[in-house]
């Protein structure tokens, strides 16, 4: 099916506003083919490019992808180095095209442990796309949901300690305004590839009422077609948010 036919299968009025993806299974996909895990990560970057293009064509409001968790530093140094190299290369290579597609990039997570080069590439990409009005594309890198919540709590504690506001002013909206996703809608649909059914510290706050969609397909084999299947399935879900329908 070509992209046009694929997109025509989607009822635009039932699309999620914010889709989040745990891009999992690169390593297992590669090992299963007798390749190095790094080959899986390279293949995964190609999938990401296709899925972002589909999100642009569908005019999704926000797409968040989990690229590197606060726990992924535990991996062998060679794998971490490879991932950093890939991240840097990806930003350098793709930022122009993203900009042309009116994508607005944002990074979720800590930044200080990345190399100075990567930190400057992240700042440059954000700066380049800061006035764009298309898909809000969030890359979660050195991201952990718990870490994000702790950082938000620290910022709020400082605001209270400085006398800017009383502690009683902290409500869900104020709390959200200190999260890395400030100003963006909550996650409607959370996809995880490669068979595991867990959050792995992703978007703990933002996914409070997300619909989950799991597939056994490893990330390197995930296609726009399957992405659209997930979106169509989302359109059939009954979301009650604690109420009754
Ligand atoms: C996801 O694939 C990419 C990152 C975590 C960076 P994995 O590397 O986790 O692949 P598996 O889950 O080991 O197969
Ligand atoms: C989650 O996948 C992180 C990313 C996809 C970037 P992991 O592969 O790190 O998660 P676990 O270890 O299986 O929970
Ligand atoms: Mg994994």
């Amino acid at each position: 099916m070509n992209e046009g036919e694929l997109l025509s299968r989607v009822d635009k009025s039932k699309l999620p506003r914010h889709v989040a993806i745990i891009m999992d299974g690169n390593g297992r996909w590669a090992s299963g083919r007798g390749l190095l895990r790094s080959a899986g990560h390279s293949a995964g970057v190609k999938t990401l490019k296709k899925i972002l293009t589909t999100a642009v064509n569908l005019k999704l409001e926000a797409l968040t992808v989990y690229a590197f968790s606060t726990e992924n530093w535990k991996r062998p140094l060679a794998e971490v180095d490879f991932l950093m190299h890939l991240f840097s290369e990806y930003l350098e290579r793709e930022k122009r095209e993203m900009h042309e597609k009116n994508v607005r990039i944002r990074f979720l997570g800590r930044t200080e442990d990345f190399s100075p080069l990567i930190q400057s590439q992240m700042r440059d990409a954000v700066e380049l796309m800061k006035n764009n009005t298309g898909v809000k594309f969030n890359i979660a890198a050195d991201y952990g949901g718990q870490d994000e919540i702790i950082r938000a709590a620290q910022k709020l504690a400082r605001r209270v300690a400085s006398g800017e506001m009383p502690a009683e002013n902290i409500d869900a909206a104020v709390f959200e305004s200190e999260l890395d996703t400030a100003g963006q809608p909550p996650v409607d649909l959370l996809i995880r590839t490669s068979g595991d059914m867990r959050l792995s510290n992703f978007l703990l706050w933002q996914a409070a009422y997300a619909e989950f969609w799991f597939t056994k397909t490893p990330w390197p084999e995930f296609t726009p077609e399957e992405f659209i299947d997930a979106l169509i399935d989302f359109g059939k879900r009954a979301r009650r948010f604690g109420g009754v329908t």
Side-chain angles (χ1 to χ4, degrees), residues 70-134:
T70 46
E71 288 72 37
N72 286 148
W73 296 107
K74 292 182 205 162
R75 294 187 178 199
L77 186 61
E79 181 166 346
V80 171
D81 279 349
F82 186 83
L83 286 166
M84 293 301 141
H85 171 74
L86 206 60
F87 185 35
S88 168
E89 218 182 49
Y90 171 77
L91 291 177
E92 204 50 50
R93 193 181 57 239
E94 300 295 330
K95 71 175 180 192
R96 284 275 141 218
E97 198 177 318
M98 281 185 215
H99 183 45
E100 279 157 21
K101 288 180 167 151
N102 198 23
V103 167
R104 183 163 179 175
I105 203 168
R106 187 190 287 195
F107 297 95
L108 314 182
R110 313 172 66 89
T111 47
E112 62 268 25
D113 291 332
F114 289 121
S115 70
L117 170 68
I118 291 181
Q119 290 186 43
S120 78
Q121 287 178 312
M122 290 163 82
R123 280 193 302 270
D124 289 351
V126 170
E127 177 66 22
L128 176 69
M129 293 176 242
K130 70 177 181 201
N131 295 321
N132 290 353
T133 54

Side-chain angles (χ1 to χ4, degrees), residues 22-24 66-69 72 75 192 198 200:
I22 302 176
M23 309 184 288
D24 197 24
Y66 207 3
F68 193 85
S69 75
N72 286 148
R75 294 187 178 199
R192 181 170 187 146
R198 55 175 171 261
S200 301

